[in-house]
Structures are given as C-alpha cells and as structure tokens.
Amino acid sequence: MSLDPADWKLLSRRDQVDGALTLAAAEAGTEAQVVTVTIPRSDDAPSLGLLLDEIATSGDAGIVAVEGLVEGGNGEKATAPLLPGDALVAAAEEGKPTTGVSLEGLPFDSVVERLSSLSSAVGVVVSVKRLVRKPRATVTVRFPEAEGREDARMTLYQGANLRRAMLSSGVALNDPLARRFDAGVGTGDCGGEGTCCTCAVEVAKGLDALSEPSSQEVQMVAKRFPRWRLACKATLGPIEQDEEIVLKVQPRNWDGFYRDDEVDVDGEPLARDGKR
C-alpha cells in the first residue's frame, strides 16, 4: 500500500450539494476498492488503535490514511486487516448504521472530530479505500512481413477498445484488401462503425481475454476466420489475472494467406468467395 498522495485524486461528487469529495485512484493501473472492518471497543479500551497520517491537505479538503496499528491495540483486533495507505472514508457505531459519519476527502482535524462523535463504548465499523493493482493485458501488435516494422506493445485494462488503443499508439490498422460489408463493394474506413473490416486483426494469442463477438462480427469475419476480430468492436473483457495478447494487423497481407492460384501475375489477390 502507499502513503504517497500522488497515488490518489480527489473528485467532486456531482450528486452531493454540500461540495463533498470522493477519493479515486490517480493511475489507470490501480483502482480504489472499499474495505469495511469492525474494530471492537469498550469503556475500558475506547481507542481505535490506529496510527493516522494526513497525507494530503488543502483548505477544507484532505486525505487521512492509516499509517500503522498500535501494538496490542484494538486496531489489531479488527475483523479484517487494515493496511498502511488505507484511506478513511466512513465510520459508524456497530449495529447503528444511522450514526455513520463520512470521513472521505476531509482534513485530519475534521476526521478526528467526527470519529470522536461516535460512542467509545461500542465497536466501530470503519470503511477505507484501498489502492489495488488492476489486472492488465500486455498486447503485442505484429505487422505483415513486407512492412519490415518492429512489433508494437501496449498495456490495456478491462473495457479498453482495441481500435482506439492501437490508433492512440500510432498503429495503422486500415487493410487495403478489405471490402466494406455494408456496401458490398469498394473499400474505405467506416470510422469504427463495424461495417468495413479494415480494422480486422488476427488474435494469435489471448482470444479468450477479449469480449464476445457480436452476431454481426461473427457474420463478417469470425465465421470464416475464427481467430479474427474487428478491432473497433473488440474490448478487453473482465480478467482476473494478467493476460498476454498477440495481434496480427492486416491479416490478409501476411505471407501465406493467399495461395499462388489466388493472386495474379503481379501478386495482387484475386477475388475469394466474391470478396477480397
């Protein structure tokens, strides 16, 4: 876990009229997960047993996080471990959710004041936000041999669209041999509408890590070439661990795709089943 304020960002909550803030992960590779624990307390041992640190503050806003636990204190008896870097977001008296107080986006003094408003004779339900590394896919993009280009590499997270990711990385997708599906004749980039096939890629590795193809995508490419996907429609699906994906762009242009009897004397592909 991290006590570095650069790992967090404070966002205005549009659903709140009182200017409340919400904590979010600053980097695309992490996400803030809510963890809720119960810390026992009593009249004889009223302390939470938490060492708190204000890792960021600006006016009425701040981030207060767990720095550590008091040895032998109540924090060590929580129903689940609290870790350094966990940012406090809410607390409530055990069994009394209506007594809850928000701690999210508040400076240290405000957090302490609100915690002190809770009865010290009962347990406290504490919610924190914890930064967790998101599973990711390492994507290798390979080009036709004739282009003589080195592989391109990208890192994608769940929900990322292949076409947008490749274009933002400078990868040229348009396949000059593709024919538009909607018109039946002619070529041209449809701009991500899923009608032109110019962004078709062959998934040499990691096909299961991508979203399921739509019926139109199956009809256009996957029925004939099961490992092909339209990059404009394919996204990185829900993954529970890091994945590796290898893509071949412009699959029609790779050596061996067309047989000798499917090209003319200049090596240009002839029509195949009515389509190039």
Side-chain angles (χ1 to χ4, degrees), residues 53-260:
D53 183 20
E54 185 177 56
I55 62 175
T57 183
S58 177
D60 295 332
I63 303 173
V64 176
V66 175
E67 184 179 29
L69 305 179
V70 176
E71 185 175 356
N74 288 329
E76 292 186 341
K77 303 172 185 177
T79 52
L82 288 171
L83 305 177
D86 288 345
L88 274 63
V89 295
E93 295 176 11
E94 185 178 10
K96 300 178 181 179
T98 57
T99 65
V101 293
S102 174
L103 309 174
E104 191 167 14
L106 297 179
F108 186 86
D109 290 345
S110 297
V111 168
V112 172
E113 181 181 357
R114 293 193 179 190
L115 287 175
S116 299
S117 69
L118 304 176
S119 172
S120 60
V122 297
V124 177
V125 179
V126 177
S127 294
V128 300
K129 282 188 175 179
R130 179 175 298 168
L131 291 178
V132 178
R133 180 184 182 276
K134 294 167 62 175
R136 61 203 66 194
T138 301
V139 182
T140 300
V141 182
R142 295 177 177 166
F143 303 90
E145 300 92 335
E147 293 192 9
R149 295 181 59 182
E150 293 185 358
D151 296 345
R153 287 180 172 81
M154 307 179 299
T155 299
L156 301 184
Y157 301 97
Q158 180 176 327
N161 175 268
L162 289 187
R163 181 179 184 271
R164 287 195 293 269
M166 285 191 280
L167 289 178
S168 64
S169 298
V171 176
L173 283 173
N174 291 346
D175 183 351
L177 300 179
R179 293 286 175 174
R180 289 184 67 98
F181 179 78
D182 53 349
V185 295
T187 60
D189 181 3
C190 70
E193 297 288 336
T195 60
C196 71
C197 286
T198 62
C199 69
V201 295
E202 180 181 346
V203 186
K205 184 177 183 180
L207 186 64
D208 292 340
L210 299 177
S211 59
E212 291 292 327
S214 65
S215 57
Q216 180 176 337
E217 193 177 351
V218 170
Q219 184 181 2
M220 291 173 64
V221 292
K223 185 180 294 184
R224 297 177 62 208
F225 307 107
R227 302 196 68 85
W228 285 26
R229 294 297 307 270
L230 295 182
C232 66
K233 297 302 179 184
T235 60
L236 183 62
I239 55 175
E240 297 181 357
Q241 61 185 15
D242 291 354
E243 299 282 352
E244 183 180 356
I245 298 175
V246 178
L247 304 176
K248 297 169 67 174
V249 299
Q250 302 180 27
R252 298 171 182 81
N253 291 312
W254 283 73
D255 292 347
F257 179 77
Y258 289 102
R259 302 189 306 270
D260 290 343

